[in-house]
Amino acid sequence: MSAFAVRDGRLVDPDGHPFLSLGLNHADETNLQYPHNIDVWRRRYGSREVWLRDGPVADLRAWNMNTIGWTREYVAGGWGEALDWFGDPIDLYHSLPWTSAELRGAGMPYVAQLQVQDIEDWNGHPAFRPLDDDFAKWCDYLARAVALPHADDENLLGYFFVDIPAWLPHASGRDFPELSGLDGAAREQKLYDVASRYYEAITTAIRRYDPDHLILGDRYNGDKGIPEPVLRAMAPFVDVLSVQRFAGPAEDDRRGFRDDLAGWSEQAGGKPVLVADHGNWTPTDMNPHRVGLPNHAARGEDYGLVLDAVRHEPWFAGLHWCGYVENLGRGWGVKDPFDEPYRDLTDAITEHNRRALDDHAATSVASR
């Protein structure tokens, strides 16, 4: 069947046309079902089916976004055994992803998610399981449960694995059993071996049921760093290097953002890079503690500056934005807690996306 693919280091759609993935993450209807805003939910939507169609799918199209990104949303959490990339102890609960039927029914490109292991950096109680025969059976189950329902859908962009996995030593002190007690060169070599078995097991299982769609791999925690042995290990098995990376507001920050992504792409054998999670924030009425950019207009300008810093790079595959409706958990979004877009932000996003997509198509045609 026709499917999204990587050709000459660039993403192409099922018809073979160049594709720049501009997506939105963390869309969950329960963000509109708190006591303070459930009347908005009842008045505008009233059902999940209507919300999917008239909420996120309609908004994505209006904002010139072409991909449904990672749909799980941060719900609650705080103190735990893990340390996030800012050094604060965290242990976070997350919502369930959209179902296969909901993703397929949206009528636009999307990603699917496979929870390969519970080893996220934000997971205060990670479970690093041995990569043995039982792990291979678990991977086969995941492929049957997640990949098989999508195998014939041309709108599927590809499969994500773990959200910011702890390939660097986890802050809780836990690690894959095979790496216990190792450091230095011995740990690096064993880390490569472990990561190779991990990626081989899950991609082999997926390919058993879906030989066509892209493997997007783990959404690495670029703000914390990605071990070079892991990038080398994933290269034979994963099609697109997916990185969660947040750029600061200064030009030097954006230059570092671009240089990091370029370096990781090179270490991974020249893979195209999808910025799988990126965002910014400003103080709001609900979340005045979110110290960041001065206002939503500055957020919109920053979105364009970050996109411009990478969109002409030959390895750049797209950017997915974090997140949708501002809530009590995540604390920022492109819409306020009452489902109204922050227009200074969304109008800018719409225009920056239009320009990026037009330029991408024109450059690709000219290079033929």
Side-chain angles (χ1 to χ4, degrees):
M1 62 160 289
S2 298
F4 287 92
V6 173
R7 183 179 301 161
D8 299 325
R10 306 296 291 269
L11 279 183
V12 297
D13 68 18
D15 294 322
H17 302 138
F19 184 76
L20 181 65
S21 181
L22 299 176
L24 181 71
N25 296 333
H26 314 306
D28 190 282
E29 86 278 15
T30 63
N31 287 333
L32 292 174
Q33 294 173 343
Y34 290 101
H36 65 261
N37 60 13
I38 195 168
D39 61 318
V40 175
W41 165 265
R42 289 168 175 158
R43 184 174 66 253
R44 292 189 176 179
Y45 307 114
S47 73
R48 182 172 172 87
E49 180 181 9
V50 173
W51 172 78
L52 289 167
R53 183 193 66 212
D54 296 346
V57 171
D59 285 336
L60 282 164
R61 291 184 170 133
W63 299 332
N64 288 324
M65 290 179 167
N66 57 17
T67 307
I68 299 169
W70 184 275
T71 57
R72 294 185 70 192
E73 170 67 298
Y74 161 41
V75 175
W79 302 97
E81 297 180 27
L83 296 175
D84 73 0
W85 49 101
F86 299 111
D88 298 320
I90 54 173
D91 184 19
L92 307 181
Y93 291 88
H94 282 73
S95 68
L96 297 174
W98 293 14
T99 68
S100 298
E102 289 167 346
L103 291 168
R104 290 177 62 104
M108 65 186 304
Y110 65 89
V111 300
Q113 306 162 218
L114 293 89
Q115 183 68 8
V116 182
Q117 288 226 13
D118 300 321
I119 56 174
E120 303 89 349
D121 275 331
W122 48 257
N123 190 335
H125 304 278
F128 291 89
R129 293 185 171 88
L131 305 180
D132 53 16
D133 288 345
D134 285 339
F135 177 66
K137 294 174 183 176
W138 168 246
C139 290
D140 192 79
Y141 160 75
L142 286 177
R144 298 194 311 272
V146 178
L148 187 57
H150 297 285
D152 64 345
D153 192 355
E154 290 189 354
N155 275 332
L156 173 66
L157 178 61
Y159 298 103
F160 278 133
F161 300 160
V162 178
D163 182 42
I164 57 172
W167 284 111
L168 290 167
H170 195 276
S172 67
R174 300 177 191 177
D175 212 339
F176 284 101
E178 298 93 330
L179 298 171
S180 178
L182 297 178
D183 55 21
R187 177 183 171 83
E188 289 212 347
Q189 180 57 53
K190 182 58 73 171
L191 179 60
Y192 172 84
D193 295 340
V194 168
S196 294
R197 292 202 300 275
Y198 169 96
Y199 289 114
E200 182 176 19
I202 185 58
T203 58
T204 298
I206 292 171
R207 292 293 180 231
R208 190 174 295 128
Y209 301 98
D210 182 355
D212 298 312
H213 288 100
L214 293 173
I215 305 295
L216 306 177
D218 290 326
R219 293 162 25 113
Y220 295 115
N221 187 351
D223 291 318
K224 185 176 179 179
I226 312 172
E228 188 265 347
V230 174
L231 292 174
R232 286 192 291 112
M234 63 79 88
F237 305 106
V238 175
D239 300 304
V240 175
L241 171 60
S242 302
V243 182
Q244 178 176 144
R245 179 73 162 80
F246 288 71
E251 183 177 352
D252 285 348
D253 296 326
R254 294 187 291 273
R255 187 179 299 113
F257 172 81
R258 181 198 62 210
D259 291 348
D260 282 348
L261 297 175
W264 291 324
S265 173
E266 183 177 359
Q267 290 177 9
K271 301 288 182 189
V273 179
L274 175 63
V275 182
D277 214 67
H278 174 76
N280 59 36
W281 46 87
T282 191
T284 64
D285 291 342
M286 173 171 277
N287 292 283
H289 62 289
R290 288 290 181 190
V291 178
L293 296 169
N295 51 49
H296 294 291
R299 295 181 72 199
E301 180 183 10
D302 181 74
Y303 179 93
L305 290 170
V306 171
L307 193 56
D308 285 348
V310 291
R311 66 185 179 89
H312 295 297
E313 298 292 338
W315 41 259
F316 181 58
L319 183 147
H320 293 182
W321 186 254
C322 171
Y324 187 39
V325 174
E326 182 185 345
N327 57 76
L328 295 167
R330 185 170 303 282
W332 70 87
V334 290
K335 299 179 89 172
D336 71 16
F338 303 98
D339 202 42
E340 293 298 331
Y342 288 116
R343 292 291 182 185
D344 287 343
L345 172 59
T346 57
D347 287 352
I349 286 174
T350 302
E351 178 57 22
H352 292 311
N353 286 347
R354 183 201 61 76
R355 181 165 50 91
L357 292 170
D358 287 349
D359 287 355
H360 188 75
T363 301
S364 301
V365 169
S367 65
R368 290 180 184 175

